[in-house]
Amino acid sequence: MNPLLMEVSGSFQCLSDIFKSRDCVFAMGQCISKQHLSDNEEDDNHFEFGSAHVHLITNKESWDQKLAEANRDGKIVIANFSAMWCGPCKMIAPLYSELSEKHPSLLFLVVDVDELTDFSTSWDIKATPTFFFLKNGEQIDKLVGANKPELEKKITLHSDSAPIAKNHL
């Protein structure tokens, strides 16, 4: 088996060098208690999911609200299912934020799979990041992995095909 893959609940997930649980940080397969880390060490592993144009989904209600808003405004939704410990997620987050500013006709969401475990499971997430493209609440496209050129291509394609948002008329 590839050492960068680990079977979790019957599916395979990519492991980054460092990921966190509630009680410890896992570094190269070993659990290090968070109390043994300096504040700087923990801060180095933190990144922000959301930004001015990327909406962090923290519960099912906020998901439903954003999808209803997108439907009302005629917007396509890009939902990024990510994890704080995920190296590829951290790598692509700045591009995702940048693309959200370039494509205001789309609604950019991010879901932390560890915070919304049951909800993420209902979307059959097997790896992070996974990007779903939704129109009227239905999946129209999907991208698994932190493939920057492919993400840009898909977002541009869907932005070009999106109608002018109703609230901009």
Side-chain angles (χ1 to χ4, degrees), residues 35-67:
Q35 59 191 358
H36 291 100
L37 293 176
S38 70
D39 289 338
N40 290 342
E41 285 177 293
E42 190 159 345
D43 288 345
D44 289 345
N45 298 320
H46 179 74
F47 73 105
E48 290 297 322
F49 273 135
S51 71
H53 298 281
V54 177
H55 306 276
L56 179 61
I57 300 301
T58 57
N59 55 49
K60 177 72 167 77
E61 292 76 27
S62 64
W63 171 267
D64 291 339
Q65 179 185 21
K66 288 298 180 185
L67 257 56

PDB file of all heavy atoms in Angstrom, residues 35-67:
ATOM      1  N   GLN A  35      -0.169  19.875  24.382  1.00  0.00           N
ATOM      2  CA  GLN A  35       0.404  20.636  25.485  1.00  0.00           C
ATOM      3  C   GLN A  35       1.923  20.719  25.388  1.00  0.00           C
ATOM      4  O   GLN A  35       2.543  21.549  26.014  1.00  0.00           O
ATOM      5  CB  GLN A  35      -0.028  20.057  26.823  1.00  0.00           C
ATOM      6  CG  GLN A  35       0.368  18.617  27.049  1.00  0.00           C
ATOM      7  CD  GLN A  35      -0.327  18.051  28.270  1.00  0.00           C
ATOM      8  OE1 GLN A  35      -1.073  18.738  28.960  1.00  0.00           O
ATOM      9  NE2 GLN A  35      -0.091  16.789  28.538  1.00  0.00           N
ATOM     10  N   HIS A  36       2.569  19.856  24.565  1.00  0.00           N
ATOM     11  CA  HIS A  36       4.007  19.903  24.374  1.00  0.00           C
ATOM     12  C   HIS A  36       4.422  20.828  23.226  1.00  0.00           C
ATOM     13  O   HIS A  36       5.601  21.002  22.969  1.00  0.00           O
ATOM     14  CB  HIS A  36       4.570  18.497  24.105  1.00  0.00           C
ATOM     15  CG  HIS A  36       4.497  17.629  25.319  1.00  0.00           C
ATOM     16  ND1 HIS A  36       3.510  16.708  25.488  1.00  0.00           N
ATOM     17  CD2 HIS A  36       5.274  17.587  26.431  1.00  0.00           C
ATOM     18  CE1 HIS A  36       3.679  16.104  26.650  1.00  0.00           C
ATOM     19  NE2 HIS A  36       4.735  16.612  27.233  1.00  0.00           N
ATOM     20  N   LEU A  37       3.439  21.401  22.545  1.00  0.00           N
ATOM     21  CA  LEU A  37       3.741  22.309  21.446  1.00  0.00           C
ATOM     22  C   LEU A  37       3.767  23.744  21.942  1.00  0.00           C
ATOM     23  O   LEU A  37       2.962  24.132  22.778  1.00  0.00           O
ATOM     24  CB  LEU A  37       2.673  22.200  20.347  1.00  0.00           C
ATOM     25  CG  LEU A  37       2.598  20.893  19.576  1.00  0.00           C
ATOM     26  CD1 LEU A  37       1.412  20.950  18.619  1.00  0.00           C
ATOM     27  CD2 LEU A  37       3.875  20.633  18.819  1.00  0.00           C
ATOM     28  N   SER A  38       4.648  24.520  21.369  1.00  0.00           N
ATOM     29  CA  SER A  38       4.618  25.947  21.667  1.00  0.00           C
ATOM     30  C   SER A  38       3.481  26.569  20.872  1.00  0.00           C
ATOM     31  O   SER A  38       2.974  25.975  19.931  1.00  0.00           O
ATOM     32  CB  SER A  38       5.948  26.598  21.256  1.00  0.00           C
ATOM     33  OG  SER A  38       6.059  26.633  19.852  1.00  0.00           O
ATOM     34  N   ASP A  39       3.069  27.752  21.227  1.00  0.00           N
ATOM     35  CA  ASP A  39       2.004  28.437  20.493  1.00  0.00           C
ATOM     36  C   ASP A  39       2.365  28.601  19.030  1.00  0.00           C
ATOM     37  O   ASP A  39       1.527  28.489  18.157  1.00  0.00           O
ATOM     38  CB  ASP A  39       1.715  29.808  21.112  1.00  0.00           C
ATOM     39  CG  ASP A  39       1.020  29.679  22.466  1.00  0.00           C
ATOM     40  OD1 ASP A  39       0.407  28.615  22.717  1.00  0.00           O
ATOM     41  OD2 ASP A  39       1.097  30.631  23.249  1.00  0.00           O
ATOM     42  N   ASN A  40       3.636  28.885  18.735  1.00  0.00           N
ATOM     43  CA  ASN A  40       4.060  29.085  17.348  1.00  0.00           C
ATOM     44  C   ASN A  40       3.923  27.818  16.524  1.00  0.00           C
ATOM     45  O   ASN A  40       3.568  27.870  15.363  1.00  0.00           O
ATOM     46  CB  ASN A  40       5.506  29.588  17.284  1.00  0.00           C
ATOM     47  CG  ASN A  40       5.632  31.004  17.792  1.00  0.00           C
ATOM     48  OD1 ASN A  40       4.648  31.727  17.880  1.00  0.00           O
ATOM     49  ND2 ASN A  40       6.847  31.392  18.141  1.00  0.00           N
ATOM     50  N   GLU A  41       4.229  26.667  17.107  1.00  0.00           N
ATOM     51  CA  GLU A  41       4.133  25.415  16.365  1.00  0.00           C
ATOM     52  C   GLU A  41       2.694  25.144  15.957  1.00  0.00           C
ATOM     53  O   GLU A  41       2.430  24.740  14.843  1.00  0.00           O
ATOM     54  CB  GLU A  41       4.658  24.242  17.202  1.00  0.00           C
ATOM     55  CG  GLU A  41       6.152  24.199  17.309  1.00  0.00           C
ATOM     56  CD  GLU A  41       6.594  23.063  18.205  1.00  0.00           C
ATOM     57  OE1 GLU A  41       6.330  23.116  19.407  1.00  0.00           O
ATOM     58  OE2 GLU A  41       7.201  22.123  17.658  1.00  0.00           O
ATOM     59  N   GLU A  42       1.763  25.388  16.864  1.00  0.00           N
ATOM     60  CA  GLU A  42       0.375  25.140  16.524  1.00  0.00           C
ATOM     61  C   GLU A  42      -0.105  26.154  15.491  1.00  0.00           C
ATOM     62  O   GLU A  42      -0.814  25.809  14.557  1.00  0.00           O
ATOM     63  CB  GLU A  42      -0.503  25.184  17.770  1.00  0.00           C
ATOM     64  CG  GLU A  42      -1.899  24.692  17.474  1.00  0.00           C
ATOM     65  CD  GLU A  42      -2.638  24.242  18.714  1.00  0.00           C
ATOM     66  OE1 GLU A  42      -2.023  24.038  19.761  1.00  0.00           O
ATOM     67  OE2 GLU A  42      -3.856  24.093  18.597  1.00  0.00           O
ATOM     68  N   ASP A  43       0.297  27.415  15.608  1.00  0.00           N
ATOM     69  CA  ASP A  43      -0.104  28.435  14.656  1.00  0.00           C
ATOM     70  C   ASP A  43       0.414  28.147  13.256  1.00  0.00           C
ATOM     71  O   ASP A  43      -0.236  28.468  12.269  1.00  0.00           O
ATOM     72  CB  ASP A  43       0.383  29.828  15.090  1.00  0.00           C
ATOM     73  CG  ASP A  43      -0.408  30.335  16.292  1.00  0.00           C
ATOM     74  OD1 ASP A  43      -1.492  29.767  16.593  1.00  0.00           O
ATOM     75  OD2 ASP A  43       0.075  31.284  16.933  1.00  0.00           O
ATOM     76  N   ASP A  44       1.603  27.549  13.142  1.00  0.00           N
ATOM     77  CA  ASP A  44       2.170  27.247  11.832  1.00  0.00           C
ATOM     78  C   ASP A  44       1.312  26.264  11.053  1.00  0.00           C
ATOM     79  O   ASP A  44       1.357  26.239   9.831  1.00  0.00           O
ATOM     80  CB  ASP A  44       3.579  26.660  11.969  1.00  0.00           C
ATOM     81  CG  ASP A  44       4.591  27.700  12.421  1.00  0.00           C
ATOM     82  OD1 ASP A  44       4.274  28.908  12.344  1.00  0.00           O
ATOM     83  OD2 ASP A  44       5.683  27.287  12.870  1.00  0.00           O
ATOM     84  N   ASN A  45       0.546  25.440  11.755  1.00  0.00           N
ATOM     85  CA  ASN A  45      -0.249  24.425  11.096  1.00  0.00           C
ATOM     86  C   ASN A  45      -1.691  24.872  10.862  1.00  0.00           C
ATOM     87  O   ASN A  45      -2.490  24.128  10.345  1.00  0.00           O
ATOM     88  CB  ASN A  45      -0.256  23.138  11.921  1.00  0.00           C
ATOM     89  CG  ASN A  45       1.134  22.577  12.045  1.00  0.00           C
ATOM     90  OD1 ASN A  45       1.885  22.604  11.088  1.00  0.00           O
ATOM     91  ND2 ASN A  45       1.480  22.097  13.222  1.00  0.00           N
ATOM     92  N   HIS A  46      -2.029  26.098  11.227  1.00  0.00           N
ATOM     93  CA  HIS A  46      -3.384  26.604  11.094  1.00  0.00           C
ATOM     94  C   HIS A  46      -3.501  27.439   9.822  1.00  0.00           C
ATOM     95  O   HIS A  46      -2.585  28.147   9.444  1.00  0.00           O
ATOM     96  CB  HIS A  46      -3.734  27.473  12.309  1.00  0.00           C
ATOM     97  CG  HIS A  46      -5.104  28.051  12.218  1.00  0.00           C
ATOM     98  ND1 HIS A  46      -6.231  27.309  12.405  1.00  0.00           N
ATOM     99  CD2 HIS A  46      -5.514  29.307  11.935  1.00  0.00           C
ATOM    100  CE1 HIS A  46      -7.290  28.087  12.250  1.00  0.00           C
ATOM    101  NE2 HIS A  46      -6.884  29.293  11.969  1.00  0.00           N
ATOM    102  N   PHE A  47      -4.634  27.348   9.169  1.00  0.00           N
ATOM    103  CA  PHE A  47      -4.907  28.217   8.044  1.00  0.00           C
ATOM    104  C   PHE A  47      -6.389  28.525   8.033  1.00  0.00           C
ATOM    105  O   PHE A  47      -7.188  27.825   8.626  1.00  0.00           O
ATOM    106  CB  PHE A  47      -4.451  27.590   6.719  1.00  0.00           C
ATOM    107  CG  PHE A  47      -5.324  26.456   6.231  1.00  0.00           C
ATOM    108  CD1 PHE A  47      -6.190  26.643   5.180  1.00  0.00           C
ATOM    109  CD2 PHE A  47      -5.271  25.203   6.825  1.00  0.00           C
ATOM    110  CE1 PHE A  47      -6.989  25.610   4.731  1.00  0.00           C
ATOM    111  CE2 PHE A  47      -6.062  24.169   6.380  1.00  0.00           C
ATOM    112  CZ  PHE A  47      -6.932  24.375   5.327  1.00  0.00           C
ATOM    113  N   GLU A  48      -6.755  29.572   7.371  1.00  0.00           N
ATOM    114  CA  GLU A  48      -8.155  29.978   7.314  1.00  0.00           C
ATOM    115  C   GLU A  48      -8.810  29.393   6.085  1.00  0.00           C
ATOM    116  O   GLU A  48      -8.282  29.481   4.985  1.00  0.00           O
ATOM    117  CB  GLU A  48      -8.252  31.513   7.266  1.00  0.00           C
ATOM    118  CG  GLU A  48      -7.863  32.180   8.555  1.00  0.00           C
ATOM    119  CD  GLU A  48      -8.773  31.820   9.712  1.00  0.00           C
ATOM    120  OE1 GLU A  48      -9.997  31.691   9.515  1.00  0.00           O
ATOM    121  OE2 GLU A  48      -8.252  31.659  10.825  1.00  0.00           O
ATOM    122  N   PHE A  49      -9.970  28.776   6.287  1.00  0.00           N
ATOM    123  CA  PHE A  49     -10.748  28.255   5.172  1.00  0.00           C
ATOM    124  C   PHE A  49     -11.484  29.373   4.455  1.00  0.00           C
ATOM    125  O   PHE A  49     -11.492  29.456   3.253  1.00  0.00           O
ATOM    126  CB  PHE A  49     -11.799  27.260   5.672  1.00  0.00           C
ATOM    127  CG  PHE A  49     -11.312  25.855   5.802  1.00  0.00           C
ATOM    128  CD1 PHE A  49     -11.630  25.124   6.937  1.00  0.00           C
ATOM    129  CD2 PHE A  49     -10.587  25.245   4.812  1.00  0.00           C
ATOM    130  CE1 PHE A  49     -11.225  23.815   7.062  1.00  0.00           C
ATOM    131  CE2 PHE A  49     -10.177  23.940   4.935  1.00  0.00           C
ATOM    132  CZ  PHE A  49     -10.498  23.221   6.059  1.00  0.00           C
ATOM    133  N   GLY A  50     -12.161  30.207   5.220  1.00  0.00           N
ATOM    134  CA  GLY A  50     -13.020  31.223   4.640  1.00  0.00           C
ATOM    135  C   GLY A  50     -12.271  32.494   4.298  1.00  0.00           C
ATOM    136  O   GLY A  50     -11.132  32.691   4.686  1.00  0.00           O
ATOM    137  N   SER A  51     -12.901  33.339   3.518  1.00  0.00           N
ATOM    138  CA  SER A  51     -12.383  34.663   3.192  1.00  0.00           C
ATOM    139  C   SER A  51     -13.591  35.533   2.894  1.00  0.00           C
ATOM    140  O   SER A  51     -14.728  35.096   3.067  1.00  0.00           O
ATOM    141  CB  SER A  51     -11.432  34.591   1.990  1.00  0.00           C
ATOM    142  OG  SER A  51     -12.159  34.332   0.802  1.00  0.00           O
ATOM    143  N   ALA A  52     -13.354  36.741   2.410  1.00  0.00           N
ATOM    144  CA  ALA A  52     -14.461  37.656   2.139  1.00  0.00           C
ATOM    145  C   ALA A  52     -15.474  37.069   1.161  1.00  0.00           C
ATOM    146  O   ALA A  52     -16.672  37.295   1.289  1.00  0.00           O
ATOM    147  CB  ALA A  52     -13.920  38.980   1.609  1.00  0.00           C
ATOM    148  N   HIS A  53     -15.010  36.282   0.190  1.00  0.00           N
ATOM    149  CA  HIS A  53     -15.902  35.732  -0.834  1.00  0.00           C
ATOM    150  C   HIS A  53     -16.082  34.218  -0.731  1.00  0.00           C
ATOM    151  O   HIS A  53     -16.746  33.626  -1.575  1.00  0.00           O
ATOM    152  CB  HIS A  53     -15.382  36.092  -2.226  1.00  0.00           C
ATOM    153  CG  HIS A  53     -15.342  37.572  -2.462  1.00  0.00           C
ATOM    154  ND1 HIS A  53     -16.457  38.304  -2.773  1.00  0.00           N
ATOM    155  CD2 HIS A  53     -14.314  38.450  -2.412  1.00  0.00           C
ATOM    156  CE1 HIS A  53     -16.121  39.580  -2.912  1.00  0.00           C
ATOM    157  NE2 HIS A  53     -14.830  39.689  -2.686  1.00  0.00           N
ATOM    158  N   VAL A  54     -15.474  33.611   0.276  1.00  0.00           N
ATOM    159  CA  VAL A  54     -15.637  32.172   0.515  1.00  0.00           C
ATOM    160  C   VAL A  54     -16.353  32.024   1.848  1.00  0.00           C
ATOM    161  O   VAL A  54     -15.892  32.516   2.871  1.00  0.00           O
ATOM    162  CB  VAL A  54     -14.275  31.437   0.559  1.00  0.00           C
ATOM    163  CG1 VAL A  54     -14.484  29.962   0.880  1.00  0.00           C
ATOM    164  CG2 VAL A  54     -13.530  31.592  -0.757  1.00  0.00           C
ATOM    165  N   HIS A  55     -17.502  31.353   1.811  1.00  0.00           N
ATOM    166  CA  HIS A  55     -18.343  31.225   2.997  1.00  0.00           C
ATOM    167  C   HIS A  55     -18.101  29.893   3.683  1.00  0.00           C
ATOM    168  O   HIS A  55     -18.262  28.842   3.064  1.00  0.00           O
ATOM    169  CB  HIS A  55     -19.814  31.369   2.608  1.00  0.00           C
ATOM    170  CG  HIS A  55     -20.086  32.620   1.845  1.00  0.00           C
ATOM    171  ND1 HIS A  55     -20.303  33.836   2.462  1.00  0.00           N
ATOM    172  CD2 HIS A  55     -20.134  32.858   0.514  1.00  0.00           C
ATOM    173  CE1 HIS A  55     -20.482  34.757   1.541  1.00  0.00           C
ATOM    174  NE2 HIS A  55     -20.389  34.193   0.347  1.00  0.00           N
ATOM    175  N   LEU A  56     -17.712  29.956   4.954  1.00  0.00           N
ATOM    176  CA  LEU A  56     -17.467  28.763   5.747  1.00  0.00           C
ATOM    177  C   LEU A  56     -18.802  28.216   6.244  1.00  0.00           C
ATOM    178  O   LEU A  56     -19.571  28.919   6.897  1.00  0.00           O
ATOM    179  CB  LEU A  56     -16.557  29.088   6.931  1.00  0.00           C
ATOM    180  CG  LEU A  56     -16.230  27.935   7.873  1.00  0.00           C
ATOM    181  CD1 LEU A  56     -15.506  26.815   7.132  1.00  0.00           C
ATOM    182  CD2 LEU A  56     -15.383  28.437   9.032  1.00  0.00           C
ATOM    183  N   ILE A  57     -19.084  26.966   5.919  1.00  0.00           N
ATOM    184  CA  ILE A  57     -20.314  26.308   6.336  1.00  0.00           C
ATOM    185  C   ILE A  57     -20.033  25.590   7.652  1.00  0.00           C
ATOM    186  O   ILE A  57     -19.168  24.721   7.719  1.00  0.00           O
ATOM    187  CB  ILE A  57     -20.800  25.314   5.258  1.00  0.00           C
ATOM    188  CG1 ILE A  57     -21.064  26.040   3.936  1.00  0.00           C
ATOM    189  CG2 ILE A  57     -22.028  24.552   5.742  1.00  0.00           C
ATOM    190  CD1 ILE A  57     -22.104  27.138   4.012  1.00  0.00           C
ATOM    191  N   THR A  58     -20.765  25.964   8.689  1.00  0.00           N
ATOM    192  CA  THR A  58     -20.515  25.408  10.019  1.00  0.00           C
ATOM    193  C   THR A  58     -21.622  24.480  10.497  1.00  0.00           C
ATOM    194  O   THR A  58     -21.471  23.817  11.520  1.00  0.00           O
ATOM    195  CB  THR A  58     -20.327  26.540  11.046  1.00  0.00           C
ATOM    196  OG1 THR A  58     -21.497  27.371  11.018  1.00  0.00           O
ATOM    197  CG2 THR A  58     -19.091  27.364  10.718  1.00  0.00           C
ATOM    198  N   ASN A  59     -22.750  24.453   9.779  1.00  0.00           N
ATOM    199  CA  ASN A  59     -23.844  23.554  10.145  1.00  0.00           C
ATOM    200  C   ASN A  59     -24.761  23.356   8.939  1.00  0.00           C
ATOM    201  O   ASN A  59     -24.655  24.063   7.943  1.00  0.00           O
ATOM    202  CB  ASN A  59     -24.627  24.088  11.361  1.00  0.00           C
ATOM    203  CG  ASN A  59     -25.133  25.497  11.137  1.00  0.00           C
ATOM    204  OD1 ASN A  59     -25.729  25.807  10.112  1.00  0.00           O
ATOM    205  ND2 ASN A  59     -24.880  26.373  12.106  1.00  0.00           N
ATOM    206  N   LYS A  60     -25.646  22.394   9.044  1.00  0.00           N
ATOM    207  CA  LYS A  60     -26.555  22.056   7.944  1.00  0.00           C
ATOM    208  C   LYS A  60     -27.470  23.231   7.609  1.00  0.00           C
ATOM    209  O   LYS A  60     -27.790  23.474   6.438  1.00  0.00           O
ATOM    210  CB  LYS A  60     -27.371  20.805   8.324  1.00  0.00           C
ATOM    211  CG  LYS A  60     -28.410  20.385   7.316  1.00  0.00           C
ATOM    212  CD  LYS A  60     -27.812  19.778   6.064  1.00  0.00           C
ATOM    213  CE  LYS A  60     -28.833  19.064   5.196  1.00  0.00           C
ATOM    214  NZ  LYS A  60     -29.687  19.901   4.400  1.00  0.00           N
ATOM    215  N   GLU A  61     -27.855  23.987   8.613  1.00  0.00           N
ATOM    216  CA  GLU A  61     -28.734  25.132   8.391  1.00  0.00           C
ATOM    217  C   GLU A  61     -28.052  26.186   7.521  1.00  0.00           C
ATOM    218  O   GLU A  61     -28.685  26.757   6.625  1.00  0.00           O
ATOM    219  CB  GLU A  61     -29.186  25.748   9.719  1.00  0.00           C
ATOM    220  CG  GLU A  61     -30.110  24.860  10.529  1.00  0.00           C
ATOM    221  CD  GLU A  61     -29.396  23.705  11.234  1.00  0.00           C
ATOM    222  OE1 GLU A  61     -28.181  23.800  11.552  1.00  0.00           O
ATOM    223  OE2 GLU A  61     -30.061  22.671  11.450  1.00  0.00           O
ATOM    224  N   SER A  62     -26.771  26.467   7.789  1.00  0.00           N
ATOM    225  CA  SER A  62     -26.073  27.459   6.967  1.00  0.00           C
ATOM    226  C   SER A  62     -25.889  26.942   5.536  1.00  0.00           C
ATOM    227  O   SER A  62     -25.944  27.715   4.579  1.00  0.00           O
ATOM    228  CB  SER A  62     -24.739  27.881   7.591  1.00  0.00           C
ATOM    229  OG  SER A  62     -23.836  26.814   7.665  1.00  0.00           O
ATOM    230  N   TRP A  63     -25.698  25.625   5.375  1.00  0.00           N
ATOM    231  CA  TRP A  63     -25.632  25.021   4.031  1.00  0.00           C
ATOM    232  C   TRP A  63     -26.954  25.260   3.286  1.00  0.00           C
ATOM    233  O   TRP A  63     -26.962  25.736   2.154  1.00  0.00           O
ATOM    234  CB  TRP A  63     -25.336  23.526   4.155  1.00  0.00           C
ATOM    235  CG  TRP A  63     -25.452  22.759   2.882  1.00  0.00           C
ATOM    236  CD1 TRP A  63     -26.545  22.099   2.420  1.00  0.00           C
ATOM    237  CD2 TRP A  63     -24.438  22.565   1.892  1.00  0.00           C
ATOM    238  NE1 TRP A  63     -26.273  21.502   1.207  1.00  0.00           N
ATOM    239  CE2 TRP A  63     -24.988  21.772   0.867  1.00  0.00           C
ATOM    240  CE3 TRP A  63     -23.116  22.983   1.782  1.00  0.00           C
ATOM    241  CZ2 TRP A  63     -24.272  21.389  -0.254  1.00  0.00           C
ATOM    242  CZ3 TRP A  63     -22.388  22.600   0.664  1.00  0.00           C
ATOM    243  CH2 TRP A  63     -22.965  21.815  -0.346  1.00  0.00           C
ATOM    244  N   ASP A  64     -28.056  24.929   3.940  1.00  0.00           N
ATOM    245  CA  ASP A  64     -29.370  25.096   3.320  1.00  0.00           C
ATOM    246  C   ASP A  64     -29.630  26.555   2.968  1.00  0.00           C
ATOM    247  O   ASP A  64     -30.168  26.870   1.899  1.00  0.00           O
ATOM    248  CB  ASP A  64     -30.476  24.576   4.246  1.00  0.00           C
ATOM    249  CG  ASP A  64     -30.443  23.061   4.408  1.00  0.00           C
ATOM    250  OD1 ASP A  64     -29.858  22.360   3.545  1.00  0.00           O
ATOM    251  OD2 ASP A  64     -31.007  22.572   5.413  1.00  0.00           O
ATOM    252  N   GLN A  65     -29.219  27.458   3.861  1.00  0.00           N
ATOM    253  CA  GLN A  65     -29.425  28.887   3.637  1.00  0.00           C
ATOM    254  C   GLN A  65     -28.637  29.362   2.411  1.00  0.00           C
ATOM    255  O   GLN A  65     -29.161  30.093   1.569  1.00  0.00           O
ATOM    256  CB  GLN A  65     -29.005  29.677   4.876  1.00  0.00           C
ATOM    257  CG  GLN A  65     -29.156  31.165   4.730  1.00  0.00           C
ATOM    258  CD  GLN A  65     -28.618  31.930   5.936  1.00  0.00           C
ATOM    259  OE1 GLN A  65     -27.799  31.419   6.695  1.00  0.00           O
ATOM    260  NE2 GLN A  65     -29.067  33.157   6.096  1.00  0.00           N
ATOM    261  N   LYS A  66     -27.371  28.948   2.308  1.00  0.00           N
ATOM    262  CA  LYS A  66     -26.537  29.381   1.172  1.00  0.00           C
ATOM    263  C   LYS A  66     -27.037  28.782  -0.139  1.00  0.00           C
ATOM    264  O   LYS A  66     -27.016  29.453  -1.176  1.00  0.00           O
ATOM    265  CB  LYS A  66     -25.066  29.031   1.405  1.00  0.00           C
ATOM    266  CG  LYS A  66     -24.402  29.891   2.461  1.00  0.00           C
ATOM    267  CD  LYS A  66     -24.406  31.345   2.034  1.00  0.00           C
ATOM    268  CE  LYS A  66     -23.768  32.239   3.055  1.00  0.00           C
ATOM    269  NZ  LYS A  66     -23.883  33.659   2.698  1.00  0.00           N
ATOM    270  N   LEU A  67     -27.494  27.529  -0.123  1.00  0.00           N
ATOM    271  CA  LEU A  67     -28.035  26.934  -1.344  1.00  0.00           C
ATOM    272  C   LEU A  67     -29.320  27.642  -1.777  1.00  0.00           C
ATOM    273  O   LEU A  67     -29.520  27.898  -2.970  1.00  0.00           O
ATOM    274  CB  LEU A  67     -28.276  25.435  -1.170  1.00  0.00           C
ATOM    275  CG  LEU A  67     -27.213  24.545  -1.822  1.00  0.00           C
ATOM    276  CD1 LEU A  67     -25.819  24.824  -1.366  1.00  0.00           C
ATOM    277  CD2 LEU A  67     -27.566  23.101  -1.723  1.00  0.00           C
TER     278      LEU A  67
END
